[in-house]
Amino acid sequence: MIDDRPVLDDHLHLDPDNHRGIDAVKDFARVGGTHLLVVNKPSWHLGVEAETGEDFRAVFERTIEVVEEASSELAGQAWPVLGIHPGLISRLVDDRDFTPDEARELMQAGIDIAAEYVDSGDALALKSGRPHYEVDDAVWDASNAVMRRAFDHAADLECAVQLHAEASEDMTEVADWAIEAGMPAHKVVKHYASGRLAGPTPSVICDKDELERAAERGEPFLMETDYIDDPDRPGAVLGPKTVPRRVRWLLENGYDEAVRNAHVETPKRVYGIDTEATLEREA
């Protein structure tokens, strides 16, 4: 631990079958990390080419299993975040000859299944979003409809939704859709966010400049690596040790309040989790 503090990585992936898995968790814990939000990998990365919503269960259940293993390695706890990666729509339309409406129906069915795990208490939050790259209008509209299905479930379940979406510092329209569905805007989390964001809560990628912007802004924020645990892309995004190292850097530079904001106050506000109460402190 770092000065007896909780340290949360808000968004990373673990692949226990094909890459580092729990070894990455051990690296995180070894340098002071205590809590993780583990997002299921894209379904096709785990060999699932879904035909029905039920086909996503294998992805979700494998994620829940690795999260249970991860918790046993941490002084705190790990939680699963389950859903459908928005990039699936391009795979369905471009590679599998789905129409955008057919892709939407399948992805919404997958979101419905993910919501069952949140409802049962086996997952903490949902994952959805829309492509971060250019697509045609039909695919864009279908993607937005999938995201809005996630908001509908989140409103009923009173849970958060993590979004994979385009780079932007203004997503107030998306936050407004969440409000229309009946969920508070702060429970929408923009994964891989910059340090400034209007609308959702930013989950800031651990670039020092972006973290400084978030810290100086003084608004709720989270910290993440987006570690992908992919043997074919070993240098992609950031490693599992990064969040604890950036916490130390923030503390060294006088950002104590920002650290508490990102690792205690915002997780409680967004997800309803108490990172202090779930921390096993050494006597």
Side-chain angles (χ1 to χ4, degrees), residues 19 41-42 45 85 132 226-238:
H19 201 37
K41 295 195 77 172
H45 286 191
H85 192 288
H132 64 276
D226 190 26
Y227 175 66
I228 61 172
D229 205 10
D230 186 340
D232 295 327
R233 300 171 64 201
V237 204
L238 299 171

PDB file of all heavy atoms in Angstrom, residues 19 41-42 45 85 132 226-238:
ATOM      1  N   HIS A  19      -2.556 -14.809 -21.571  1.00  0.00           N
ATOM      2  CA  HIS A  19      -1.451 -13.907 -21.271  1.00  0.00           C
ATOM      3  C   HIS A  19      -1.187 -13.860 -19.773  1.00  0.00           C
ATOM      4  O   HIS A  19      -1.248 -14.892 -19.112  1.00  0.00           O
ATOM      5  CB  HIS A  19      -1.702 -12.528 -21.884  1.00  0.00           C
ATOM      6  CG  HIS A  19      -0.439 -11.717 -22.053  1.00  0.00           C
ATOM      7  ND1 HIS A  19       0.768 -12.282 -22.414  1.00  0.00           N
ATOM      8  CD2 HIS A  19      -0.193 -10.394 -21.900  1.00  0.00           C
ATOM      9  CE1 HIS A  19       1.698 -11.333 -22.489  1.00  0.00           C
ATOM     10  NE2 HIS A  19       1.140 -10.179 -22.160  1.00  0.00           N
ATOM     11  N   LYS A  41     -12.822  -8.544 -21.516  1.00  0.00           N
ATOM     12  CA  LYS A  41     -12.183  -8.303 -22.806  1.00  0.00           C
ATOM     13  C   LYS A  41     -13.224  -8.393 -23.921  1.00  0.00           C
ATOM     14  O   LYS A  41     -14.293  -8.991 -23.741  1.00  0.00           O
ATOM     15  CB  LYS A  41     -11.069  -9.331 -23.047  1.00  0.00           C
ATOM     16  CG  LYS A  41      -9.908  -9.207 -22.068  1.00  0.00           C
ATOM     17  CD  LYS A  41      -8.688  -9.968 -22.538  1.00  0.00           C
ATOM     18  CE  LYS A  41      -7.968  -9.216 -23.640  1.00  0.00           C
ATOM     19  NZ  LYS A  41      -6.668  -9.813 -23.996  1.00  0.00           N
ATOM     20  N   PRO A  42     -12.962  -7.800 -25.072  1.00  0.00           N
ATOM     21  CA  PRO A  42     -13.887  -7.972 -26.197  1.00  0.00           C
ATOM     22  C   PRO A  42     -14.161  -9.453 -26.429  1.00  0.00           C
ATOM     23  O   PRO A  42     -13.244 -10.287 -26.370  1.00  0.00           O
ATOM     24  CB  PRO A  42     -13.126  -7.341 -27.367  1.00  0.00           C
ATOM     25  CG  PRO A  42     -12.246  -6.306 -26.717  1.00  0.00           C
ATOM     26  CD  PRO A  42     -11.820  -6.924 -25.422  1.00  0.00           C
ATOM     27  N   HIS A  45     -11.958 -11.642 -28.570  1.00  0.00           N
ATOM     28  CA  HIS A  45     -10.614 -11.911 -28.061  1.00  0.00           C
ATOM     29  C   HIS A  45     -10.584 -13.161 -27.194  1.00  0.00           C
ATOM     30  O   HIS A  45      -9.520 -13.734 -26.964  1.00  0.00           O
ATOM     31  CB  HIS A  45     -10.105 -10.721 -27.235  1.00  0.00           C
ATOM     32  CG  HIS A  45      -9.727  -9.546 -28.076  1.00  0.00           C
ATOM     33  ND1 HIS A  45      -9.034  -8.459 -27.575  1.00  0.00           N
ATOM     34  CD2 HIS A  45      -9.931  -9.265 -29.395  1.00  0.00           C
ATOM     35  CE1 HIS A  45      -8.837  -7.581 -28.538  1.00  0.00           C
ATOM     36  NE2 HIS A  45      -9.371  -8.045 -29.644  1.00  0.00           N
ATOM     37  N   HIS A  85     -18.293  -4.693 -26.018  1.00  0.00           N
ATOM     38  CA  HIS A  85     -17.384  -3.706 -26.600  1.00  0.00           C
ATOM     39  C   HIS A  85     -18.014  -3.116 -27.856  1.00  0.00           C
ATOM     40  O   HIS A  85     -18.484  -3.861 -28.735  1.00  0.00           O
ATOM     41  CB  HIS A  85     -16.050  -4.364 -26.941  1.00  0.00           C
ATOM     42  CG  HIS A  85     -14.970  -3.388 -27.261  1.00  0.00           C
ATOM     43  ND1 HIS A  85     -14.939  -2.663 -28.436  1.00  0.00           N
ATOM     44  CD2 HIS A  85     -13.880  -2.989 -26.549  1.00  0.00           C
ATOM     45  CE1 HIS A  85     -13.881  -1.879 -28.443  1.00  0.00           C
ATOM     46  NE2 HIS A  85     -13.227  -2.053 -27.306  1.00  0.00           N
ATOM     47  N   HIS A 132     -14.961   4.623 -31.578  1.00  0.00           N
ATOM     48  CA  HIS A 132     -14.139   5.830 -31.457  1.00  0.00           C
ATOM     49  C   HIS A 132     -13.542   6.217 -32.803  1.00  0.00           C
ATOM     50  O   HIS A 132     -12.736   7.137 -32.878  1.00  0.00           O
ATOM     51  CB  HIS A 132     -13.020   5.615 -30.428  1.00  0.00           C
ATOM     52  CG  HIS A 132     -12.036   4.554 -30.817  1.00  0.00           C
ATOM     53  ND1 HIS A 132     -12.250   3.212 -30.569  1.00  0.00           N
ATOM     54  CD2 HIS A 132     -10.832   4.630 -31.441  1.00  0.00           C
ATOM     55  CE1 HIS A 132     -11.214   2.522 -31.012  1.00  0.00           C
ATOM     56  NE2 HIS A 132     -10.343   3.356 -31.559  1.00  0.00           N
ATOM     57  N   ASP A 226      -6.161   1.157 -18.626  1.00  0.00           N
ATOM     58  CA  ASP A 226      -6.661   0.436 -19.800  1.00  0.00           C
ATOM     59  C   ASP A 226      -5.689  -0.673 -20.197  1.00  0.00           C
ATOM     60  O   ASP A 226      -5.557  -1.003 -21.387  1.00  0.00           O
ATOM     61  CB  ASP A 226      -6.931   1.375 -20.973  1.00  0.00           C
ATOM     62  CG  ASP A 226      -7.674   0.683 -22.124  1.00  0.00           C
ATOM     63  OD1 ASP A 226      -8.387  -0.297 -21.849  1.00  0.00           O
ATOM     64  OD2 ASP A 226      -7.533   1.110 -23.286  1.00  0.00           O
ATOM     65  N   TYR A 227      -5.005  -1.263 -19.213  1.00  0.00           N
ATOM     66  CA  TYR A 227      -4.121  -2.400 -19.501  1.00  0.00           C
ATOM     67  C   TYR A 227      -4.924  -3.476 -20.225  1.00  0.00           C
ATOM     68  O   TYR A 227      -6.003  -3.869 -19.774  1.00  0.00           O
ATOM     69  CB  TYR A 227      -3.550  -2.944 -18.185  1.00  0.00           C
ATOM     70  CG  TYR A 227      -2.711  -4.186 -18.350  1.00  0.00           C
ATOM     71  CD1 TYR A 227      -1.506  -4.142 -19.041  1.00  0.00           C
ATOM     72  CD2 TYR A 227      -3.116  -5.399 -17.807  1.00  0.00           C
ATOM     73  CE1 TYR A 227      -0.730  -5.283 -19.192  1.00  0.00           C
ATOM     74  CE2 TYR A 227      -2.347  -6.541 -17.934  1.00  0.00           C
ATOM     75  CZ  TYR A 227      -1.155  -6.475 -18.636  1.00  0.00           C
ATOM     76  OH  TYR A 227      -0.388  -7.614 -18.778  1.00  0.00           O
ATOM     77  N   ILE A 228      -4.419  -3.949 -21.367  1.00  0.00           N
ATOM     78  CA  ILE A 228      -5.221  -4.854 -22.197  1.00  0.00           C
ATOM     79  C   ILE A 228      -4.807  -6.325 -22.088  1.00  0.00           C
ATOM     80  O   ILE A 228      -5.537  -7.187 -22.576  1.00  0.00           O
ATOM     81  CB  ILE A 228      -5.205  -4.414 -23.673  1.00  0.00           C
ATOM     82  CG1 ILE A 228      -3.785  -4.430 -24.241  1.00  0.00           C
ATOM     83  CG2 ILE A 228      -5.827  -3.044 -23.829  1.00  0.00           C
ATOM     84  CD1 ILE A 228      -3.733  -4.184 -25.733  1.00  0.00           C
ATOM     85  N   ASP A 229      -3.665  -6.628 -21.482  1.00  0.00           N
ATOM     86  CA  ASP A 229      -3.232  -8.004 -21.252  1.00  0.00           C
ATOM     87  C   ASP A 229      -3.281  -8.827 -22.538  1.00  0.00           C
ATOM     88  O   ASP A 229      -3.886  -9.894 -22.597  1.00  0.00           O
ATOM     89  CB  ASP A 229      -4.083  -8.659 -20.154  1.00  0.00           C
ATOM     90  CG  ASP A 229      -3.346  -9.808 -19.457  1.00  0.00           C
ATOM     91  OD1 ASP A 229      -2.133  -9.969 -19.695  1.00  0.00           O
ATOM     92  OD2 ASP A 229      -3.989 -10.529 -18.671  1.00  0.00           O
ATOM     93  N   ASP A 230      -2.649  -8.301 -23.567  1.00  0.00           N
ATOM     94  CA  ASP A 230      -2.679  -8.918 -24.886  1.00  0.00           C
ATOM     95  C   ASP A 230      -1.247  -9.238 -25.321  1.00  0.00           C
ATOM     96  O   ASP A 230      -0.432  -8.327 -25.504  1.00  0.00           O
ATOM     97  CB  ASP A 230      -3.328  -7.953 -25.884  1.00  0.00           C
ATOM     98  CG  ASP A 230      -3.540  -8.567 -27.259  1.00  0.00           C
ATOM     99  OD1 ASP A 230      -2.874  -9.578 -27.572  1.00  0.00           O
ATOM    100  OD2 ASP A 230      -4.363  -8.042 -28.020  1.00  0.00           O
ATOM    101  N   PRO A 231      -0.911 -10.524 -25.497  1.00  0.00           N
ATOM    102  CA  PRO A 231       0.459 -10.891 -25.860  1.00  0.00           C
ATOM    103  C   PRO A 231       0.889 -10.362 -27.218  1.00  0.00           C
ATOM    104  O   PRO A 231       2.076 -10.209 -27.486  1.00  0.00           O
ATOM    105  CB  PRO A 231       0.437 -12.423 -25.852  1.00  0.00           C
ATOM    106  CG  PRO A 231      -0.999 -12.784 -26.068  1.00  0.00           C
ATOM    107  CD  PRO A 231      -1.786 -11.708 -25.388  1.00  0.00           C
ATOM    108  N   ASP A 232      -0.083 -10.052 -28.084  1.00  0.00           N
ATOM    109  CA  ASP A 232       0.241  -9.543 -29.409  1.00  0.00           C
ATOM    110  C   ASP A 232       0.493  -8.037 -29.408  1.00  0.00           C
ATOM    111  O   ASP A 232       0.977  -7.487 -30.390  1.00  0.00           O
ATOM    112  CB  ASP A 232      -0.894  -9.855 -30.395  1.00  0.00           C
ATOM    113  CG  ASP A 232      -1.069 -11.344 -30.611  1.00  0.00           C
ATOM    114  OD1 ASP A 232      -0.049 -12.069 -30.559  1.00  0.00           O
ATOM    115  OD2 ASP A 232      -2.211 -11.786 -30.802  1.00  0.00           O
ATOM    116  N   ARG A 233       0.143  -7.370 -28.293  1.00  0.00           N
ATOM    117  CA  ARG A 233       0.332  -5.916 -28.204  1.00  0.00           C
ATOM    118  C   ARG A 233       0.931  -5.569 -26.840  1.00  0.00           C
ATOM    119  O   ARG A 233       0.315  -4.874 -26.026  1.00  0.00           O
ATOM    120  CB  ARG A 233      -1.010  -5.205 -28.407  1.00  0.00           C
ATOM    121  CG  ARG A 233      -1.654  -5.479 -29.745  1.00  0.00           C
ATOM    122  CD  ARG A 233      -3.080  -4.939 -29.801  1.00  0.00           C
ATOM    123  NE  ARG A 233      -3.099  -3.491 -29.681  1.00  0.00           N
ATOM    124  CZ  ARG A 233      -4.175  -2.805 -29.292  1.00  0.00           C
ATOM    125  NH1 ARG A 233      -5.283  -3.423 -28.967  1.00  0.00           N
ATOM    126  NH2 ARG A 233      -4.131  -1.488 -29.214  1.00  0.00           N
ATOM    127  N   PRO A 234       2.141  -6.061 -26.565  1.00  0.00           N
ATOM    128  CA  PRO A 234       2.713  -5.911 -25.219  1.00  0.00           C
ATOM    129  C   PRO A 234       2.974  -4.480 -24.792  1.00  0.00           C
ATOM    130  O   PRO A 234       2.979  -4.174 -23.604  1.00  0.00           O
ATOM    131  CB  PRO A 234       4.018  -6.713 -25.300  1.00  0.00           C
ATOM    132  CG  PRO A 234       4.360  -6.730 -26.765  1.00  0.00           C
ATOM    133  CD  PRO A 234       3.036  -6.784 -27.470  1.00  0.00           C
ATOM    134  N   GLY A 235       3.179  -3.559 -25.731  1.00  0.00           N
ATOM    135  CA  GLY A 235       3.461  -2.176 -25.366  1.00  0.00           C
ATOM    136  C   GLY A 235       2.268  -1.261 -25.482  1.00  0.00           C
ATOM    137  O   GLY A 235       2.384  -0.053 -25.299  1.00  0.00           O
ATOM    138  N   ALA A 236       1.096  -1.832 -25.797  1.00  0.00           N
ATOM    139  CA  ALA A 236      -0.096  -1.006 -25.983  1.00  0.00           C
ATOM    140  C   ALA A 236      -0.603  -0.467 -24.653  1.00  0.00           C
ATOM    141  O   ALA A 236      -0.562  -1.144 -23.639  1.00  0.00           O
ATOM    142  CB  ALA A 236      -1.193  -1.817 -26.667  1.00  0.00           C
ATOM    143  N   VAL A 237      -1.067   0.742 -24.647  1.00  0.00           N
ATOM    144  CA  VAL A 237      -1.629   1.436 -23.489  1.00  0.00           C
ATOM    145  C   VAL A 237      -0.603   1.435 -22.353  1.00  0.00           C
ATOM    146  O   VAL A 237       0.584   1.614 -22.591  1.00  0.00           O
ATOM    147  CB  VAL A 237      -2.999   0.842 -23.092  1.00  0.00           C
ATOM    148  CG1 VAL A 237      -3.824   1.877 -22.330  1.00  0.00           C
ATOM    149  CG2 VAL A 237      -3.806   0.444 -24.333  1.00  0.00           C
ATOM    150  N   LEU A 238      -1.024   1.211 -21.115  1.00  0.00           N
ATOM    151  CA  LEU A 238      -0.124   1.326 -19.965  1.00  0.00           C
ATOM    152  C   LEU A 238      -0.086   0.019 -19.184  1.00  0.00           C
ATOM    153  O   LEU A 238      -1.040  -0.754 -19.195  1.00  0.00           O
ATOM    154  CB  LEU A 238      -0.597   2.461 -19.044  1.00  0.00           C
ATOM    155  CG  LEU A 238      -0.634   3.852 -19.675  1.00  0.00           C
ATOM    156  CD1 LEU A 238      -1.322   4.842 -18.746  1.00  0.00           C
ATOM    157  CD2 LEU A 238       0.775   4.330 -20.024  1.00  0.00           C
TER     158      LEU A 238
END
